[in-house]
Amino acid sequence: MGAGAELRRALLEFGTGPLLAEMPRRTLADKGIAGPTAAHVIEELHTPLNLAYTTFTTGTTAFQTPVGVTWQELPDRAAAGVRALERCGVPRGAELLVTYPPLVNVFSRQALEEYGSKARFILRPSRDALLAELCSGARFVVGESSFLRAALQDAHRLGLSRELPENLVLIAAGTPLDPELADEAARLPGAQVHDLYGCQEFGWLVLDGAPLRTDITLCRDPGDAGRHHLLVGGLPTGDCFRLGAHPLNPEGAICTNTKVRSPLELETTLLAGNVSSRDTALRTARTILRIKSRIIRVSPDYVCGAEQTRLTVGPPGGPPLLELEGPEATRMLDTLVQAQRQYQRQAKTDPVWRKKC
């Protein structure tokens, strides 16, 4: 055996880097989103080990944006998902029918596992497929509100209303609440409608006007006194809402049915944090831009080693609109700082990735 052949044999048997067949794989089923959509193709990709998974914004009117979800975010994201299911009255262990598979990414599969529930999907991404599932007894449904409303109207028009289950629970998610959905549901015995707001970047945030997380903050829009920006853990979501009684819950003060994208993109500026160097704060800012598409500035006077995170939020180049101090109000941002610190402590073992030996 020649030297080259011997090297190849040794590489196959004892090499430290993985073979392609040895690499860990995360499938659609592993993420809990193994269902059909007409808006996607199925594509394999290399996902960094420091991310729990990758997903995309919905992008109904613009190109979708890639979103990275870190492992450190999963506990809070899963807790919000569990809280949403509890408030909707979904029994633990109940099966969820989901009309759009990527919505499971907003719960995270871990939330459903913790709740003892499993998501299944309509056979095809079409109203008749949803109607067939409803006529087969599906009681707990998560989907876009206009899609749900159209399916109920089809049921009435086709004389199938009596085939639908009693006490139907419709959880409208992914788009602003269709004002006619509740009226259509009211024609069915015991049916309920819930308005679930969130985004792929941060998970579920508000249900029927009531926050699902303790780090939700509202900031008045300087150009429209009636609208408020919604922030999670010090990071702007980019969405604005009016305040008042939510149409499905008089005690819910955030009218998520009035959602509009903010024409004013707010930026977060870090003033102080519990990190040992300003470089870590700068790296966190770049990480957040890359995986959440949110602009984070680091003040030239940033204070390292502070007990609590301090930050301001405001328009680019303008005066701050509010200042927040942790730990509760800045929880999301602090979680991403934790992810960055953990990443910096991990050894990079792939010499090809490191670009040096």
Side-chain angles (χ1 to χ4, degrees):
M1 181 183 294
E6 178 63 23
L7 177 60
R8 179 178 179 82
R9 184 194 65 79
L11 177 67
L12 289 173
E13 292 188 17
F14 307 111
T16 56
L19 299 170
L20 177 63
E22 296 171 340
M23 288 183 64
R25 291 176 180 266
R26 189 176 300 138
T27 67
L28 293 179
D30 293 328
K31 294 167 69 172
I33 60 170
T37 92
H40 300 82
V41 297
I42 299 172
E43 177 178 338
E44 291 186 283
L45 73 160
H46 290 86
T47 298
L49 290 171
N50 52 302
L51 293 181
Y53 59 89
T54 55
T55 183
F56 288 83
T57 57
T58 305
T60 51
T61 58
F63 277 98
Q64 291 87 338
T65 301
V67 174
V69 178
T70 65
W71 292 101
Q72 288 78 3
E73 295 172 66
L74 288 183
D76 286 337
R77 183 179 286 240
V82 166
R83 204 167 289 125
L85 294 173
E86 288 176 338
R87 292 186 189 176
C88 289
V90 177
R92 286 184 177 265
E95 187 175 64
L96 288 178
L97 179 67
V98 180
T99 66
Y100 181 63
L103 287 174
V104 175
N105 281 337
V106 191
F107 278 102
S108 81
R109 176 178 54 83
Q110 288 77 6
L112 301 183
E113 289 179 347
E114 182 179 334
Y115 207 68
S117 294
K118 182 179 179 180
R120 67 182 181 89
F121 307 100
I122 53 180
L123 186 63
R124 295 182 183 274
S126 61
R127 282 160 42 186
D128 52 351
L130 173 57
L131 186 55
E133 293 286 357
L134 293 175
C135 291
S136 297
R139 263 197 68 203
F140 305 101
V141 185
V142 181
E144 297 81 352
S145 61
S146 294
F147 191 69
L148 299 178
R149 183 260 305 156
L152 295 187
Q153 289 177 333
D154 288 344
H156 296 307
R157 180 172 52 83
L158 298 173
L160 297 174
S161 299
R162 293 183 180 180
E163 301 291 327
L164 272 54
E166 293 186 357
N167 303 315
L168 187 63
V169 176
L170 302 173
I171 303 174
T175 56
L177 181 67
D178 188 311
E180 298 180 22
L181 175 58
D183 293 336
E184 291 295 331
R187 300 168 64 182
L188 302 172
Q192 303 176 36
V193 174
H194 296 281
D195 181 17
L196 182 57
Y197 163 75
C199 57
Q200 295 285 2
E201 295 93 333
F202 305 122
W204 297 119
L205 303 175
V206 180
L207 177 72
D208 297 339
L212 292 167
R213 295 176 56 118
T214 57
D215 56 355
I216 301 295
T217 304
L218 295 169
C219 174
R220 188 185 299 274
D221 187 286
D224 184 344
R227 292 197 180 275
H228 290 71
H229 297 263
L230 191 141
L231 290 71
V232 52
L235 301 176
T237 61
D239 292 332
C240 284
F241 307 96
R242 297 198 179 278
L243 302 186
H246 190 280
L248 300 178
N249 176 22
E251 297 180 0
I254 305 173
C255 296
T256 45
N257 59 305
T258 66
K259 169 188 166 182
V260 295
R261 289 297 294 175
S262 169
L264 177 66
E265 291 293 336
L266 300 183
E267 296 181 355
T268 298
T269 300
L270 302 183
L271 305 178
N274 185 18
V275 295
S276 58
S277 72
R278 188 168 181 268
D279 282 346
T280 298
L282 289 168
R283 290 170 183 157
T284 302
R286 288 195 293 270
T287 292
I288 293 173
L289 176 62
R290 288 165 179 164
I291 70 173
K292 306 296 185 185
S293 300
R294 298 296 182 267
I295 296 176
I296 309 296
R297 308 288 185 188
V298 180
S299 170
D301 301 320
Y302 182 82
V303 178
C304 297
E307 290 187 6
Q308 311 290 354
T309 296
R310 288 191 299 110
L311 58 85
T312 60
V313 179
L321 298 178
L322 82 165
E323 181 172 335
L324 298 176
E325 182 172 344
E328 203 58 56
T330 62
R331 184 173 176 85
M332 171 60 79
L333 192 143
D334 289 340
T335 298
L336 294 173
V337 171
Q338 179 188 357
Q340 177 63 39
R341 294 170 70 178
Q342 177 64 32
Y343 181 60
Q344 292 175 188
R345 289 194 290 264
Q346 291 174 337
K348 312 303 186 293
T349 59
D350 184 343
V352 178
W353 180 87
R354 293 171 62 199
K355 312 282 193 301
K356 60 183 178 179
C357 295

